[in-house]
Amino acid sequence: MTIRPSSDLLPALQQLIRPIDSHKGLYGSVAILGGATGMIGAALLAGRAALHLGAGKIWVGLLDERLLVDPTQPELMIVAANQLLTQKPSHLLIGPGLGQSKQAIELLHSGLMSSLPLVLDADALNLIAQEAEFKSLLHTRAAETIITPHPAEAARLLQCPTKAVQAQREQAVKTLSKDFFCHTILKGSNTLIANQHEVWINTSGNSALSSAGQGDILSGIVLALLAQGLSAIQASCCAAYLHGSAADSWRKKHPNGIGLTASETFLLVREELNLQLNLSQEHC
């Protein structure tokens, strides 16, 4: 079914409206695991997106331990990757800039064994595609799990050509959700979101999102919404819609759609979220 902002998103987004008597502890203590050498930026982008979309506290666990603070966003708490779970986060994202080292494999295993609601992206998905044990661990998880593959990552998980995924996107997203016992966001033009029973299609977004880091932004948005109380399917649908709608608004000013960066996008998504919250209050 097509995501309809008025009936599908507004009721979910109303859960994000904050009471006067409020504090950061009410909005999740999220953790992001990734940032191997040369890819720290991916983890930071996801963390910045989670921060701007309302997560209460954010730890970023980096495999490359040389960075001690994000000078652009010092609100992010930087820790060594192997110390991340000791912070006792409420929700966990694994994958942005993770790499495929032995340490990455061990850390992913720990995350899959945890009882935390989990978002999996990028190299976390590539490692799951290579390790049969990880697929088994997904089946035994009690907490909600969301995977966010682009078509090539989906093809690796399904062990088929990328062209086959693109030719039958709806069947692919259904199979991923069933085989990996999770909620799935299959990215691309008309992003598909699925649980084990239903499929939603997101029609917002455009080719301006064809730039590095946009997947990291999307996974950070999903994490933030999940941590603020939305269900896995609500967080997935709302994140996909808001991400795309922000790009649609940007493209009205830049009709050629060239040059939208990931670092700009999470700011645009924050604007879109607050606009939608205003609309939800008007409909109350």
Side-chain angles (χ1 to χ4, degrees):
M1 66 184 77
T2 301
I3 297 172
R4 296 161 296 182
S6 59
S7 59
D8 295 328
L9 299 186
L10 293 185
L13 291 175
Q14 285 174 355
Q15 300 176 59
L16 302 180
I17 297 172
R18 300 189 170 189
I20 294 173
D21 183 11
S22 183
H23 58 84
K24 64 178 181 284
L26 298 174
Y27 307 115
S29 300
V30 305
I32 297 159
L33 175 61
T37 301
M39 297 183 287
I40 290 175
L44 295 181
L45 284 171
R48 293 171 185 175
L51 179 69
H52 284 80
L53 269 292
K57 295 188 288 185
I58 300 103
W59 287 281
V60 182
L62 299 175
L63 278 76
D64 187 335
E65 299 180 16
R66 291 175 293 177
L67 185 70
L68 301 178
V69 65
D70 177 358
T72 302
Q73 211 69 73
E75 297 91 341
L76 301 179
M77 296 176 283
I78 309 297
V79 299
N82 60 10
Q83 296 296 312
L84 188 62
L85 292 181
T86 66
Q87 308 302 322
K88 301 187 184 304
S90 62
H91 298 74
L92 178 62
L93 163 61
I94 306 178
L98 181 68
Q100 300 186 36
S101 65
K102 180 180 179 181
Q103 184 186 16
I105 293 170
E106 292 171 351
L107 291 167
L108 176 57
H109 184 273
S110 296
L112 291 171
M113 290 288 289
S114 78
S115 60
L116 300 174
L118 187 58
V119 182
L120 299 168
D121 187 28
D123 272 327
L125 302 177
N126 293 326
L127 289 173
I128 289 168
Q130 298 169 28
E131 299 283 343
E133 180 190 1
F134 290 162
K135 183 176 179 179
S136 298
L137 289 175
L138 284 169
H139 276 261
T140 60
R141 299 196 86 246
E144 292 183 313
T145 304
I146 301 171
I147 64 173
T148 64
H150 58 54
E153 291 162 347
R156 294 180 195 117
L157 289 167
L158 295 173
Q159 299 183 339
C160 70
T162 303
K163 288 183 178 179
V165 171
Q166 291 294 73
Q168 299 186 58
R169 283 174 57 83
E170 185 169 340
Q171 184 57 51
V173 77
K174 287 179 179 177
T175 303
L176 286 166
S177 296
K178 181 179 178 181
D179 287 1
F180 292 89
F181 208 70
C182 62
H183 297 74
T184 304
I185 302 174
L186 179 56
K187 296 180 286 195
S189 179
N190 290 335
T191 290
L192 297 177
I193 301 99
N195 55 25
Q196 295 179 55
H197 309 289
E198 296 182 87
V199 177
W200 289 261
I201 182 170
N202 177 58
T203 57
S204 71
N206 60 75
S207 59
L209 292 171
S210 302
S211 64
Q214 294 291 353
D216 304 313
I217 299 301
L218 179 62
S219 62
I221 297 167
V222 174
L223 182 69
L225 297 181
L226 196 64
Q228 290 172 84
L230 272 62
S231 69
I233 199 63
Q234 288 173 332
S236 299
C237 287
C238 288
Y241 176 81
L242 292 169
H243 189 228
S245 185
D248 290 340
S249 296
W250 181 86
R251 192 153 186 172
K252 291 176 183 178
K253 298 180 180 179
H254 308 277
N256 291 315
I258 297 171
L260 176 62
T261 67
S263 294
E264 296 172 275
T265 302
F266 59 75
L267 299 173
L268 297 170
V269 179
R270 179 178 64 183
E271 293 298 315
E272 187 65 28
L273 171 60
N274 281 284
L275 174 62
Q276 292 296 330
L277 287 176
N278 290 340
L279 291 174
S280 73
Q281 290 174 301
E282 290 173 6
H283 282 78
C284 289

